[in-house]
Amino acid sequence: MKRFFFGIISALFLISCGSVKKHNENISKLHSVDDLRNDVDKLYHQLKKHHPKLYQYTSQEIMEFKFDSLKQSIRTPMDSRDFYKKVAPVLTSVRQGHVSIRPLGKRFKRKERKALKEKKFEFYDLDFQYIDGKLIVERTIGKDSSFVGAEVVSIAGESASELLEVYKTRFASDGYNVTLYDRFVSKGFKSFYVRDKGFLDSLKVTFKANDSVFSKTFKRVPKKEKKRTDSAKVKNDSIKKVKRKKLTKQERDSIKIAAKKRKKYNRKHGYIPRTKSYTRNFSFIGNDSTVAYMKIRGFSNGNYKKFYEESFKKIDSAKSKYFILDLRDNGGGRIAEIERLYSYLTDKEFQFITESEVNSRIPILKSIMSNTTPTGLKILSGILSPILIVQNVLRIKKKDGKLYYKFKYVKPEVPNPLNFKGKVYVLINGNSFSASSIISTNLQATKRATFVGEETGGAYNGTVAGFYKLYQLPNSKLITRIGLMQIEAPYKQEPDGFGVKPDIEIVPTIKDIQQQKDPELEWILNDIDTTN
């Protein structure tokens, strides 16, 4: 029996090693012209099949011309990464930010993965902003803050600004607005760079600060300090070892309760391990509780219901007069969460979104049954398919020759009893996208808030998202993401294709970052002081 299990484990290990090798060979080999052109056809077919608003911003004639031109431009074999660089700029002509494509990265064997987990790449500790054609270090993770405010001049000998301008051609905004580009390319710069260059063990970066130029080579370093060597142990042999104090049952129970409480707090606030910060933050600004401030970094992490309930209870008890909702750099998330948050900010009955246009009567099943879905999940979905099909069909209706999916958030809702009745300010920028734009549309259309910052990257009139089709192209193995549902608030603006625009436009400067100032928030606090 032992030999049998050992044989199974050995076979699985060999299969795993073989699949890693096969994967790496496939993404690095040169694919034939015919195979790559076939991938272009497959990509366009998937878009036409699944995307409900494919020609909203670009006509069918122009779109077909672009894809045909892409096919004709492929005249020599190329690897997956070079193919990605040709496809991505053409895909942006859809002008929908949720449509994207990416190459697969290098895979590693189990032992290699284990070794990599014990290290961190120092370069990933830097966060950036791209302002006035310059890549600026906005913040650093960890103790070393010496790079904050410095300009990144070059990376591995290439101009940083030229790299970013190229990367900006590989993703789309919603519609025609442009505020998303500089924000998103800097926020995702490290990912774009890896897609461009591949896996890296070290990277030389040249900075400029206070008219001086300097370079640093970032490496993969151990996450934790190495244990003492044997020689160090020998030196300390004479030192009497201190025995760990044996904890009492009461002390052990106290530690368990504290850990459970911390876990609950982290879940409620949406803990972010990389930055050791939280997705949801609430506080009062100033010496009293007049101004309530809520910073939400995203709508997809943790138990939001308890957070909003507890926060607005505090606001109600404190009788706060002003509420600041900070949605800057919030890329979106769950409809359920933004609908819940909105219920605390209105005192009128509301319909949060409208019925969502789709291309299929079974969009959720289409989303699950993709060629990127693990086999186990496909089998489970197959077993549950009768239930999923009934659920999908009951929520679909046909109107004017189009199909619409009815989320529960289409129904009229009443305000939360703890709804805030004072003055509301909302902070937005180009990275306020997707769900952030939907809640912003509702708040602006109902004249519920004063908006400060810059135009949102997400469109005022809605976006194609909800559920997604993740499809892997058969030859190059690039993975494309296609939204399946048009999600929009019951309000529209003309012209179409632009974001929620601020009442007070303020865009931070390089000097603001270097001095760690927040001009948008400062304007709001000054406005409150003036009002009082």
Side-chain angles (χ1 to χ4, degrees), residues 131-184:
I131 301 175
D132 297 332
K134 295 180 180 180
L135 184 64
I136 307 296
V137 179
E138 184 180 32
R139 68 176 70 85
T140 58
I141 308 303
K143 297 178 181 179
D144 188 0
S145 60
S146 60
F147 296 102
V148 174
E151 177 190 351
V152 180
V153 179
S154 64
I155 302 170
E158 293 184 271
S159 165
S161 59
E162 288 179 8
L163 284 170
L164 268 80
E165 288 301 318
V166 171
Y167 297 161
K168 281 164 64 174
T169 68
R170 295 176 183 171
F171 63 92
S173 177
D174 273 355
Y176 308 108
N177 60 2
V178 296
T179 57
L180 175 76
Y181 290 101
D182 284 357
R183 296 284 186 178
F184 188 73

Short mmCIF file of all heavy atoms in Angstrom, two decimals, residues 131-184:
data_model
loop_
_atom_site.label_atom_id
_atom_site.label_comp_id
_atom_site.label_asym_id
_atom_site.label_seq_id
_atom_site.Cartn_x
_atom_site.Cartn_y
_atom_site.Cartn_z
N ILE A 131 3.11 62.03 -12.87
CA ILE A 131 2.62 63.40 -12.93
C ILE A 131 3.50 64.23 -13.86
O ILE A 131 4.73 64.21 -13.74
CB ILE A 131 2.61 64.05 -11.52
CG1 ILE A 131 1.73 63.24 -10.56
CG2 ILE A 131 2.11 65.49 -11.58
CD1 ILE A 131 1.76 63.75 -9.14
N ASP A 132 2.85 64.95 -14.77
CA ASP A 132 3.58 65.83 -15.69
C ASP A 132 4.71 65.10 -16.42
O ASP A 132 5.81 65.64 -16.61
CB ASP A 132 4.15 67.05 -14.95
CG ASP A 132 3.06 67.91 -14.34
OD1 ASP A 132 1.95 67.92 -14.89
OD2 ASP A 132 3.32 68.56 -13.31
N GLY A 133 4.44 63.86 -16.83
CA GLY A 133 5.43 63.09 -17.57
C GLY A 133 6.59 62.58 -16.73
O GLY A 133 7.60 62.14 -17.28
N LYS A 134 6.44 62.61 -15.40
CA LYS A 134 7.50 62.14 -14.52
C LYS A 134 6.95 61.08 -13.57
O LYS A 134 5.87 61.23 -13.02
CB LYS A 134 8.10 63.30 -13.71
CG LYS A 134 8.81 64.34 -14.56
CD LYS A 134 9.36 65.47 -13.70
CE LYS A 134 10.08 66.51 -14.57
NZ LYS A 134 10.62 67.62 -13.74
N LEU A 135 7.73 60.01 -13.39
CA LEU A 135 7.35 58.95 -12.46
C LEU A 135 7.96 59.26 -11.10
O LEU A 135 9.18 59.26 -10.94
CB LEU A 135 7.85 57.59 -12.97
CG LEU A 135 7.43 56.36 -12.15
CD1 LEU A 135 5.91 56.19 -12.17
CD2 LEU A 135 8.10 55.10 -12.68
N ILE A 136 7.09 59.53 -10.12
CA ILE A 136 7.52 59.96 -8.79
C ILE A 136 7.22 58.86 -7.77
O ILE A 136 6.16 58.23 -7.82
CB ILE A 136 6.79 61.26 -8.38
CG1 ILE A 136 6.95 62.33 -9.45
CG2 ILE A 136 7.30 61.75 -7.02
CD1 ILE A 136 8.37 62.79 -9.68
N VAL A 137 8.15 58.63 -6.86
CA VAL A 137 7.90 57.68 -5.77
C VAL A 137 6.96 58.35 -4.77
O VAL A 137 7.33 59.33 -4.12
CB VAL A 137 9.21 57.25 -5.08
CG1 VAL A 137 8.90 56.27 -3.94
CG2 VAL A 137 10.16 56.61 -6.07
N GLU A 138 5.75 57.81 -4.66
CA GLU A 138 4.75 58.41 -3.78
C GLU A 138 4.92 57.95 -2.34
O GLU A 138 4.77 58.72 -1.40
CB GLU A 138 3.35 58.05 -4.27
CG GLU A 138 2.23 58.70 -3.46
CD GLU A 138 0.86 58.31 -3.98
OE1 GLU A 138 0.70 57.18 -4.48
OE2 GLU A 138 -0.06 59.15 -3.89
N ARG A 139 5.21 56.66 -2.17
CA ARG A 139 5.41 56.12 -0.82
C ARG A 139 6.23 54.84 -0.92
O ARG A 139 6.40 54.28 -1.99
CB ARG A 139 4.06 55.82 -0.15
CG ARG A 139 3.29 54.69 -0.77
CD ARG A 139 2.01 54.39 0.00
NE ARG A 139 1.05 55.47 -0.15
CZ ARG A 139 0.19 55.55 -1.16
NH1 ARG A 139 0.20 54.66 -2.13
NH2 ARG A 139 -0.66 56.54 -1.23
N THR A 140 6.74 54.41 0.22
CA THR A 140 7.48 53.15 0.28
C THR A 140 6.90 52.29 1.39
O THR A 140 6.40 52.80 2.39
CB THR A 140 8.98 53.38 0.55
OG1 THR A 140 9.12 54.09 1.80
CG2 THR A 140 9.63 54.17 -0.55
N ILE A 141 6.98 50.98 1.19
CA ILE A 141 6.54 50.05 2.21
C ILE A 141 7.75 49.71 3.08
O ILE A 141 8.80 49.35 2.58
CB ILE A 141 5.98 48.75 1.58
CG1 ILE A 141 4.91 49.08 0.54
CG2 ILE A 141 5.42 47.83 2.66
CD1 ILE A 141 3.75 49.90 1.06
N GLY A 142 7.59 49.83 4.37
CA GLY A 142 8.72 49.54 5.25
C GLY A 142 9.33 50.81 5.82
O GLY A 142 8.77 51.91 5.71
N LYS A 143 10.52 50.67 6.39
CA LYS A 143 11.14 51.78 7.11
C LYS A 143 11.87 52.77 6.22
O LYS A 143 12.03 53.93 6.57
CB LYS A 143 12.12 51.22 8.15
CG LYS A 143 11.44 50.37 9.23
CD LYS A 143 12.46 49.80 10.20
CE LYS A 143 11.79 48.92 11.26
NZ LYS A 143 12.78 48.33 12.18
N ASP A 144 12.33 52.33 5.05
CA ASP A 144 13.14 53.20 4.19
C ASP A 144 12.24 54.13 3.38
O ASP A 144 11.60 53.74 2.42
CB ASP A 144 13.98 52.34 3.24
CG ASP A 144 14.97 53.19 2.44
OD1 ASP A 144 14.99 54.43 2.65
OD2 ASP A 144 15.72 52.62 1.63
N SER A 145 12.18 55.38 3.81
CA SER A 145 11.36 56.38 3.12
C SER A 145 12.22 57.38 2.36
O SER A 145 11.73 58.43 1.92
CB SER A 145 10.47 57.12 4.13
OG SER A 145 11.28 57.79 5.09
N SER A 146 13.50 57.06 2.17
CA SER A 146 14.42 58.01 1.53
C SER A 146 14.09 58.25 0.06
O SER A 146 14.52 59.26 -0.51
CB SER A 146 15.87 57.50 1.65
OG SER A 146 16.00 56.22 1.03
N PHE A 147 13.34 57.34 -0.57
CA PHE A 147 13.02 57.51 -1.99
C PHE A 147 11.76 58.35 -2.22
O PHE A 147 11.48 58.73 -3.36
CB PHE A 147 12.81 56.13 -2.64
CG PHE A 147 14.04 55.28 -2.64
CD1 PHE A 147 14.18 54.26 -1.72
CD2 PHE A 147 15.05 55.49 -3.56
CE1 PHE A 147 15.31 53.46 -1.72
CE2 PHE A 147 16.18 54.70 -3.57
CZ PHE A 147 16.32 53.69 -2.64
N VAL A 148 10.98 58.60 -1.17
CA VAL A 148 9.71 59.32 -1.33
C VAL A 148 9.95 60.71 -1.93
O VAL A 148 10.78 61.47 -1.44
CB VAL A 148 8.97 59.45 0.02
CG1 VAL A 148 7.72 60.32 -0.14
CG2 VAL A 148 8.58 58.07 0.54
N GLY A 149 9.23 61.01 -3.00
CA GLY A 149 9.36 62.30 -3.66
C GLY A 149 10.41 62.32 -4.76
O GLY A 149 10.48 63.28 -5.54
N ALA A 150 11.21 61.26 -4.87
CA ALA A 150 12.25 61.21 -5.90
C ALA A 150 11.64 60.84 -7.25
O ALA A 150 10.66 60.11 -7.33
CB ALA A 150 13.32 60.19 -5.52
N GLU A 151 12.25 61.36 -8.31
CA GLU A 151 11.81 61.02 -9.67
C GLU A 151 12.58 59.81 -10.17
O GLU A 151 13.80 59.72 -9.99
CB GLU A 151 12.07 62.20 -10.62
CG GLU A 151 11.71 61.89 -12.06
CD GLU A 151 12.20 62.95 -13.05
OE1 GLU A 151 12.66 64.01 -12.60
OE2 GLU A 151 12.13 62.69 -14.27
N VAL A 152 11.86 58.87 -10.78
CA VAL A 152 12.51 57.72 -11.41
C VAL A 152 12.92 58.15 -12.82
O VAL A 152 12.07 58.39 -13.67
CB VAL A 152 11.58 56.49 -11.48
CG1 VAL A 152 12.30 55.32 -12.14
CG2 VAL A 152 11.10 56.11 -10.08
N VAL A 153 14.22 58.24 -13.05
CA VAL A 153 14.74 58.70 -14.34
C VAL A 153 14.78 57.56 -15.35
O VAL A 153 14.31 57.68 -16.48
CB VAL A 153 16.14 59.33 -14.18
CG1 VAL A 153 16.68 59.78 -15.54
CG2 VAL A 153 16.09 60.49 -13.21
N SER A 154 15.36 56.45 -14.93
CA SER A 154 15.49 55.31 -15.85
C SER A 154 15.42 54.00 -15.09
O SER A 154 15.72 53.93 -13.89
CB SER A 154 16.79 55.40 -16.66
OG SER A 154 17.90 55.29 -15.81
N ILE A 155 15.05 52.95 -15.82
CA ILE A 155 14.97 51.60 -15.24
C ILE A 155 15.72 50.67 -16.18
O ILE A 155 15.37 50.55 -17.36
CB ILE A 155 13.50 51.16 -15.10
CG1 ILE A 155 12.75 52.17 -14.22
CG2 ILE A 155 13.41 49.76 -14.50
CD1 ILE A 155 11.27 51.97 -14.20
N ALA A 156 16.75 50.06 -15.66
CA ALA A 156 17.62 49.17 -16.46
C ALA A 156 18.08 49.87 -17.74
O ALA A 156 18.12 49.27 -18.81
CB ALA A 156 16.89 47.88 -16.79
N GLY A 157 18.36 51.17 -17.61
CA GLY A 157 18.89 51.94 -18.73
C GLY A 157 17.85 52.52 -19.67
O GLY A 157 18.19 53.28 -20.58
N GLU A 158 16.56 52.21 -19.47
CA GLU A 158 15.50 52.75 -20.32
C GLU A 158 14.79 53.91 -19.62
O GLU A 158 14.57 53.87 -18.40
CB GLU A 158 14.48 51.66 -20.66
CG GLU A 158 15.02 50.55 -21.53
CD GLU A 158 13.92 49.56 -21.92
OE1 GLU A 158 13.72 48.59 -21.17
OE2 GLU A 158 13.28 49.75 -22.97
N SER A 159 14.41 54.91 -20.39
CA SER A 159 13.71 56.07 -19.84
C SER A 159 12.40 55.64 -19.20
O SER A 159 11.57 54.97 -19.83
CB SER A 159 13.44 57.08 -20.95
OG SER A 159 12.49 58.04 -20.54
N ALA A 160 12.18 56.02 -17.95
CA ALA A 160 10.96 55.65 -17.23
C ALA A 160 9.72 56.24 -17.90
O ALA A 160 8.70 55.57 -18.07
CB ALA A 160 11.05 56.11 -15.78
N SER A 161 9.80 57.52 -18.29
CA SER A 161 8.63 58.18 -18.90
C SER A 161 8.28 57.55 -20.25
O SER A 161 7.09 57.41 -20.59
CB SER A 161 8.89 59.68 -19.06
OG SER A 161 10.02 59.91 -19.86
N GLU A 162 9.30 57.14 -21.01
CA GLU A 162 9.02 56.50 -22.31
C GLU A 162 8.37 55.13 -22.11
O GLU A 162 7.46 54.76 -22.85
CB GLU A 162 10.32 56.36 -23.11
CG GLU A 162 10.84 57.70 -23.64
CD GLU A 162 12.15 57.55 -24.42
OE1 GLU A 162 12.56 56.39 -24.67
OE2 GLU A 162 12.76 58.59 -24.76
N LEU A 163 8.81 54.41 -21.09
CA LEU A 163 8.20 53.13 -20.79
C LEU A 163 6.73 53.30 -20.43
O LEU A 163 5.86 52.57 -20.92
CB LEU A 163 8.93 52.45 -19.62
CG LEU A 163 10.27 51.80 -19.91
CD1 LEU A 163 10.96 51.39 -18.62
CD2 LEU A 163 10.10 50.57 -20.81
N LEU A 164 6.43 54.29 -19.60
CA LEU A 164 5.05 54.49 -19.17
C LEU A 164 4.15 54.93 -20.31
O LEU A 164 2.97 54.53 -20.36
CB LEU A 164 5.00 55.51 -18.02
CG LEU A 164 5.07 54.84 -16.64
CD1 LEU A 164 6.49 54.47 -16.27
CD2 LEU A 164 4.45 55.70 -15.55
N GLU A 165 4.66 55.74 -21.21
CA GLU A 165 3.85 56.16 -22.35
C GLU A 165 3.49 54.96 -23.23
O GLU A 165 2.40 54.89 -23.80
CB GLU A 165 4.59 57.23 -23.16
CG GLU A 165 4.66 58.59 -22.48
CD GLU A 165 3.29 59.16 -22.16
OE1 GLU A 165 2.37 59.07 -23.01
OE2 GLU A 165 3.11 59.69 -21.04
N VAL A 166 4.41 54.01 -23.33
CA VAL A 166 4.12 52.77 -24.08
C VAL A 166 3.07 51.95 -23.33
O VAL A 166 2.10 51.45 -23.92
CB VAL A 166 5.40 51.94 -24.28
CG1 VAL A 166 5.06 50.55 -24.85
CG2 VAL A 166 6.35 52.66 -25.24
N TYR A 167 3.24 51.81 -22.01
CA TYR A 167 2.31 50.99 -21.23
C TYR A 167 0.90 51.57 -21.23
O TYR A 167 -0.09 50.83 -21.12
CB TYR A 167 2.80 50.86 -19.78
CG TYR A 167 4.14 50.15 -19.64
CD1 TYR A 167 4.92 50.28 -18.50
CD2 TYR A 167 4.63 49.35 -20.67
CE1 TYR A 167 6.13 49.63 -18.37
CE2 TYR A 167 5.85 48.69 -20.56
CZ TYR A 167 6.60 48.85 -19.41
OH TYR A 167 7.81 48.21 -19.30
N LYS A 168 0.78 52.88 -21.40
CA LYS A 168 -0.54 53.52 -21.44
C LYS A 168 -1.35 53.12 -22.67
O LYS A 168 -2.56 53.31 -22.72
CB LYS A 168 -0.38 55.05 -21.39
CG LYS A 168 -0.12 55.59 -19.99
CD LYS A 168 0.41 57.01 -20.00
CE LYS A 168 -0.56 58.00 -20.57
NZ LYS A 168 -0.07 59.39 -20.44
N THR A 169 -0.67 52.55 -23.67
CA THR A 169 -1.38 52.10 -24.87
C THR A 169 -1.93 50.69 -24.72
O THR A 169 -2.58 50.17 -25.63
CB THR A 169 -0.45 52.14 -26.11
OG1 THR A 169 0.57 51.13 -25.96
CG2 THR A 169 0.19 53.50 -26.28
N ARG A 170 -1.67 50.04 -23.57
CA ARG A 170 -2.02 48.64 -23.40
C ARG A 170 -3.23 48.39 -22.51
O ARG A 170 -3.51 47.26 -22.14
CB ARG A 170 -0.80 47.86 -22.88
CG ARG A 170 0.34 47.86 -23.89
CD ARG A 170 1.59 47.19 -23.37
NE ARG A 170 2.67 47.29 -24.37
CZ ARG A 170 3.92 46.96 -24.15
NH1 ARG A 170 4.27 46.48 -22.97
NH2 ARG A 170 4.83 47.08 -25.10
N PHE A 171 -3.92 49.45 -22.14
CA PHE A 171 -5.18 49.29 -21.40
C PHE A 171 -6.09 50.45 -21.78
O PHE A 171 -5.66 51.45 -22.37
CB PHE A 171 -4.94 49.27 -19.89
CG PHE A 171 -4.37 50.55 -19.33
CD1 PHE A 171 -5.19 51.55 -18.85
CD2 PHE A 171 -2.99 50.75 -19.29
CE1 PHE A 171 -4.66 52.72 -18.34
CE2 PHE A 171 -2.45 51.92 -18.79
CZ PHE A 171 -3.30 52.91 -18.30
N ALA A 172 -7.37 50.31 -21.47
CA ALA A 172 -8.36 51.32 -21.88
C ALA A 172 -9.02 51.97 -20.68
O ALA A 172 -9.13 51.38 -19.60
CB ALA A 172 -9.42 50.67 -22.77
N SER A 173 -9.49 53.17 -20.91
CA SER A 173 -10.38 53.84 -19.97
C SER A 173 -11.81 53.53 -20.40
O SER A 173 -12.03 52.94 -21.45
CB SER A 173 -10.12 55.35 -20.01
OG SER A 173 -11.02 56.03 -19.17
N ASP A 174 -12.78 53.92 -19.59
CA ASP A 174 -14.17 53.81 -20.01
C ASP A 174 -14.52 55.02 -20.87
O ASP A 174 -14.52 56.16 -20.37
CB ASP A 174 -15.11 53.76 -18.80
CG ASP A 174 -15.31 52.35 -18.27
OD1 ASP A 174 -14.81 51.41 -18.91
OD2 ASP A 174 -15.97 52.19 -17.23
N GLY A 175 -14.78 54.79 -22.15
CA GLY A 175 -15.17 55.89 -23.02
C GLY A 175 -13.99 56.73 -23.45
O GLY A 175 -12.93 56.21 -23.82
N TYR A 176 -14.16 58.05 -23.36
CA TYR A 176 -13.16 58.97 -23.92
C TYR A 176 -12.36 59.74 -22.86
O TYR A 176 -11.46 60.49 -23.21
CB TYR A 176 -13.86 59.99 -24.83
CG TYR A 176 -14.75 59.34 -25.87
CD1 TYR A 176 -16.14 59.41 -25.76
CD2 TYR A 176 -14.20 58.64 -26.94
CE1 TYR A 176 -16.96 58.80 -26.71
CE2 TYR A 176 -15.01 58.03 -27.89
CZ TYR A 176 -16.39 58.11 -27.77
OH TYR A 176 -17.19 57.50 -28.70
N ASN A 177 -12.70 59.57 -21.59
CA ASN A 177 -11.97 60.36 -20.59
C ASN A 177 -10.53 59.85 -20.44
O ASN A 177 -10.22 58.71 -20.76
CB ASN A 177 -12.70 60.38 -19.24
CG ASN A 177 -12.88 59.00 -18.64
OD1 ASN A 177 -12.43 58.02 -19.19
ND2 ASN A 177 -13.53 58.94 -17.50
N VAL A 178 -9.66 60.72 -19.98
CA VAL A 178 -8.22 60.42 -19.99
C VAL A 178 -7.60 60.41 -18.59
O VAL A 178 -6.42 60.08 -18.45
CB VAL A 178 -7.46 61.43 -20.87
CG1 VAL A 178 -7.90 61.32 -22.31
CG2 VAL A 178 -7.64 62.86 -20.35
N THR A 179 -8.38 60.73 -17.57
CA THR A 179 -7.78 60.84 -16.23
C THR A 179 -7.30 59.50 -15.68
O THR A 179 -6.42 59.47 -14.82
CB THR A 179 -8.79 61.44 -15.23
OG1 THR A 179 -9.98 60.62 -15.20
CG2 THR A 179 -9.17 62.86 -15.62
N LEU A 180 -7.87 58.40 -16.18
CA LEU A 180 -7.46 57.09 -15.69
C LEU A 180 -6.01 56.76 -16.05
O LEU A 180 -5.30 56.12 -15.26
CB LEU A 180 -8.38 56.01 -16.27
CG LEU A 180 -8.00 54.56 -15.94
CD1 LEU A 180 -8.39 54.21 -14.52
CD2 LEU A 180 -8.64 53.57 -16.91
N TYR A 181 -5.55 57.20 -17.21
CA TYR A 181 -4.30 56.69 -17.77
C TYR A 181 -3.08 56.92 -16.87
O TYR A 181 -2.36 55.99 -16.52
CB TYR A 181 -4.07 57.27 -19.16
CG TYR A 181 -5.04 56.71 -20.17
CD1 TYR A 181 -6.16 57.43 -20.56
CD2 TYR A 181 -4.86 55.44 -20.69
CE1 TYR A 181 -7.08 56.91 -21.47
CE2 TYR A 181 -5.77 54.90 -21.60
CZ TYR A 181 -6.87 55.65 -21.98
OH TYR A 181 -7.77 55.10 -22.87
N ASP A 182 -2.81 58.18 -16.50
CA ASP A 182 -1.64 58.46 -15.68
C ASP A 182 -1.75 57.80 -14.31
O ASP A 182 -0.75 57.33 -13.75
CB ASP A 182 -1.44 59.96 -15.51
CG ASP A 182 -0.87 60.61 -16.76
OD1 ASP A 182 -0.57 59.87 -17.72
OD2 ASP A 182 -0.73 61.84 -16.80
N ARG A 183 -2.98 57.78 -13.77
CA ARG A 183 -3.18 57.19 -12.44
C ARG A 183 -2.98 55.67 -12.48
O ARG A 183 -2.28 55.09 -11.65
CB ARG A 183 -4.60 57.49 -11.95
CG ARG A 183 -4.90 58.95 -11.73
CD ARG A 183 -4.26 59.46 -10.46
NE ARG A 183 -4.66 60.84 -10.18
CZ ARG A 183 -4.29 61.51 -9.11
NH1 ARG A 183 -3.48 60.94 -8.24
NH2 ARG A 183 -4.68 62.75 -8.92
N PHE A 184 -3.62 55.04 -13.45
CA PHE A 184 -3.60 53.57 -13.48
C PHE A 184 -2.24 53.03 -13.89
O PHE A 184 -1.79 52.00 -13.38
CB PHE A 184 -4.68 53.06 -14.45
CG PHE A 184 -4.89 51.57 -14.40
CD1 PHE A 184 -5.52 50.98 -13.32
CD2 PHE A 184 -4.42 50.76 -15.42
CE1 PHE A 184 -5.70 49.61 -13.26
CE2 PHE A 184 -4.60 49.38 -15.38
CZ PHE A 184 -5.24 48.81 -14.30
#
